[in-house]
Amino acid sequence: MTKTNPRPFRRAHGGETLSGDADIALPDIGQRLRELRTMHGLSQRELAKRAGVTNGTISLIEQNRISPSIGSLKKVLDGFPLSIADFLTLDLKPRNKVFYAAKELREIGAGAISFRLVGRDTQGRAIQMMHERYQPGADTGQDMLSHTGEESGIVVSGLIELTVGGETRTLTAGDAYYFDSRLPHRWRNTGTIDCVIVSACTPPSF
Amino acid sequence: MTKTNPRPFRRAHGGETLSGDADIALPDIGQRLRELRTMHGLSQRELAKRAGVTNGTISLIEQNRISPSIGSLKKVLDGFPLSIADFLTLDLKPRNKVFYAAKELREIGAGAISFRLVGRDTQGRAIQMMHERYQPGADTGQDMLSHTGEESGIVVSGLIELTVGGETRTLTAGDAYYFDSRLPHRWRNTGTIDCVIVSACTPPSF
DNA sequence: GTCATGTGTTTAAGATACTCAACATTCAGC
DNA sequence: GCTGAATGTTGAGTATCTTAAACACATGAC
């Protein structure tokens, strides 16, 4: 028990430079990285192996003990399909509503053709609909992180377990989702029958 | 003249790490910084003084001899009102058309009310119009770099010298402009009468 | 021409980031 | 309780970045 050193070893250079006297606020790199990594269910060593750095580097970055170079931050983020710019601007804790109960959807049509709006109005969201079917036990894996913007969908039949940004829900017919597709997400059909979903994502351009 | 060392001193670490085997391409930091700096008419020393680093650092970064730390890159970019994310994603050489001759404008109305469209169609550009007047000799200065997206306008009367991203033109009545407002830009009324411009920028939200 | 000033570059010394290996802790499994 | 494996943290050493000062070159004043 002779090793009760209080704490600070490396001069916490980043402490004042990064969080302190800045014109444009720089997000908390360490916390962001840790959230992103744990969202993916990766250990520091696993990420380090992917990224081609050591686990110690990951640890120090996550503690904000060092201000990583652009090069090494890029290597770390190559462990995910995420650019530095996206990493710095991504809202890891989605403020926008993610899950919607069936009765929360706004019905905009009736009769032969019927739309039920997910989220408040269209609100300038240019999205493109799709139709998906999941067989029992189907699983997309948890590494599906794509750049393309936004994703939304409605469960038509069956049930689906959806994980978005660390939060998991099981949705059944009539339930819906809406989230920034840069957040890590995963679908699993934990039911016994097919699950049908009508989904949408932002179109390739704009 | 005994100092004819060929060149490479610091192991060009960034050479392979940055530009080489990457999943997501990292833009040429050095070239981007140099373009941004010269666009603002700053010397390395001037920028260094603003940023709180040394001119040598600026020089080495611009030559891609080093991969700057996040902290120092942030300090450098604090010399401009530009975040790291914006710096990495900003298209410094605008591929989109910037200047439009009077006859290139598409007229969409006639008679009492008349619109002349700048750029091809509306094309999903949510912008907000304004009305501006410049007296002779008026000058906005060259440090007007704002985050807010896009800017466009039409000269109604008089003449105006507009600089965008290092390119300068003098526009007269009927001429127009359209550019990403993150590019450094400057207006100067070099004429002898007032200049009136009808302009537009992206609205505060979305 | 010479000086003074400005530019971008380079170098050696110092500060910081990064690696490697060891450490402490937790959690299963027995 | 005791392993064994996995986790995040730490320290010493190395590689890299950053600084400070000098360098080489250009331009303009005199």
Side-chain angles (χ1 to χ4, degrees):
Chain A
M1 286 300 181
T2 58
K3 290 191 175 181
T4 19
N5 301 11
R7 193 53 58 82
F9 262 37
R10 296 153 197 278
R11 212 185 97 205
H13 148 80
E16 44 181 341
T17 304
L18 291 181
S19 50
D21 49 351
D23 293 341
I24 301 171
L26 188 61
D28 183 338
I29 303 270
Q31 183 183 348
R32 292 176 89 85
L33 179 58
R34 177 157 296 179
E35 287 179 7
L36 183 63
R37 177 176 60 79
T38 54
M39 275 181 183
H40 281 263
L42 294 176
S43 69
Q44 289 181 343
R45 281 178 172 80
E46 285 173 314
L47 174 57
K49 187 177 178 182
R50 287 195 189 191
V53 299
T54 60
N55 58 314
T57 301
I58 306 288
S59 178
L60 293 171
I61 293 174
E62 290 187 349
Q63 297 172 79
N64 287 319
R65 303 271 290 277
I66 61 178
S67 174
S69 74
I70 289 286
S72 52
L73 180 57
K74 171 165 178 21
K75 284 200 286 185
V76 170
L77 293 179
D78 280 346
F80 315 99
L82 196 67
S83 72
I84 296 181
D86 283 337
F87 173 72
L88 293 174
T89 55
L90 174 57
D91 193 4
L92 290 170
K93 294 200 186 73
R95 314 195 195 296
N96 307 13
K97 197 163 167 45
V98 173
F99 301 97
Y100 295 83
K103 62 177 182 180
E104 290 181 76
L105 301 185
R106 191 159 78 93
E107 189 164 351
I108 204 180
I113 301 176
S114 172
F115 290 97
R116 290 173 177 273
L117 299 186
V118 179
R120 41 182 180 285
D121 300 35
T122 54
Q123 194 178 328
R125 292 169 179 161
I127 54 179
Q128 182 178 341
M129 303 298 292
M130 284 188 299
H131 196 255
E132 301 177 18
R133 173 182 300 271
Y134 293 86
Q135 293 184 350
D139 187 346
T140 61
Q142 62 183 343
D143 260 335
M144 319 242 336
L145 216 168
S146 69
H147 262 211
T148 25
E150 302 169 354
E151 249 173 290
S152 183
I154 303 174
V155 178
V156 173
S157 63
L159 63 84
I160 196 87
E161 182 195 72
L162 171 59
T163 303
V164 177
E167 203 174 358
T168 300
R169 292 277 187 94
T170 296
L171 304 179
T172 58
D175 292 341
Y177 58 88
Y178 181 90
F179 57 88
D180 186 333
S181 60
R182 291 176 299 182
L183 292 166
H185 46 281
R186 174 186 204 172
W187 279 278
R188 291 202 307 151
N189 184 348
T190 53
T192 55
I193 62 171
D194 283 9
C195 178
V196 175
I197 301 178
V198 174
S199 72
C201 63
T202 54
S205 67
F206 179 74
Chain B
M1 291 300 178
T2 59
K3 290 192 176 182
T4 17
N5 303 9
R7 193 53 57 84
F9 262 34
R10 296 154 197 278
R11 213 183 96 206
H13 147 80
E16 43 181 342
T17 304
L18 290 181
S19 49
D21 48 350
D23 292 341
I24 300 171
L26 188 60
D28 183 337
I29 303 270
Q31 183 183 348
R32 292 177 88 85
L33 179 58
R34 178 158 295 181
E35 286 180 6
L36 183 63
R37 176 176 61 80
T38 54
M39 274 182 184
H40 281 263
L42 294 177
S43 69
Q44 290 180 342
R45 282 177 172 79
E46 286 173 313
L47 175 56
K49 187 176 176 182
R50 288 195 190 191
V53 298
T54 61
N55 59 314
T57 300
I58 305 287
S59 178
L60 293 170
I61 292 174
E62 289 186 350
Q63 298 171 80
N64 287 319
R65 303 271 290 279
I66 61 178
S67 174
S69 74
I70 290 286
S72 53
L73 180 57
K74 173 170 176 19
K75 284 200 287 185
V76 170
L77 292 179
D78 280 346
F80 315 100
L82 195 66
S83 71
I84 295 180
D86 284 336
F87 172 72
L88 293 175
T89 55
L90 175 57
D91 193 4
L92 289 170
K93 295 200 185 73
R95 314 195 193 296
N96 307 13
K97 198 163 166 43
V98 173
F99 302 96
Y100 295 83
K103 62 177 181 180
E104 291 181 75
L105 301 185
R106 190 159 78 92
E107 188 164 353
I108 203 179
I113 300 175
S114 171
F115 290 97
R116 291 173 176 273
L117 298 186
V118 180
R120 41 184 179 284
D121 301 34
T122 54
Q123 196 179 329
R125 293 170 177 161
I127 54 180
Q128 182 178 341
M129 303 297 291
M130 283 186 299
H131 197 254
E132 301 178 17
R133 175 181 298 272
Y134 293 87
Q135 293 184 351
D139 186 346
T140 62
Q142 61 184 346
D143 259 336
M144 318 241 337
L145 216 169
S146 68
H147 262 210
T148 23
E150 301 169 353
E151 251 175 286
S152 184
I154 303 174
V155 178
V156 174
S157 63
L159 64 85
I160 196 86
E161 182 196 72
L162 171 59
T163 302
V164 177
E167 204 174 358
T168 300
R169 293 274 188 95
T170 297
L171 304 178
T172 58
D175 292 341
Y177 57 87
Y178 179 91
F179 58 87
D180 185 332
S181 59
R182 290 176 300 182
L183 291 165
H185 46 279
R186 174 187 203 170
W187 279 278
R188 291 203 306 152
N189 185 348
T190 54
T192 55
I193 62 170
D194 283 8
C195 177
V196 175
I197 300 178
V198 174
S199 71
C201 62
T202 53
S205 68
F206 180 74

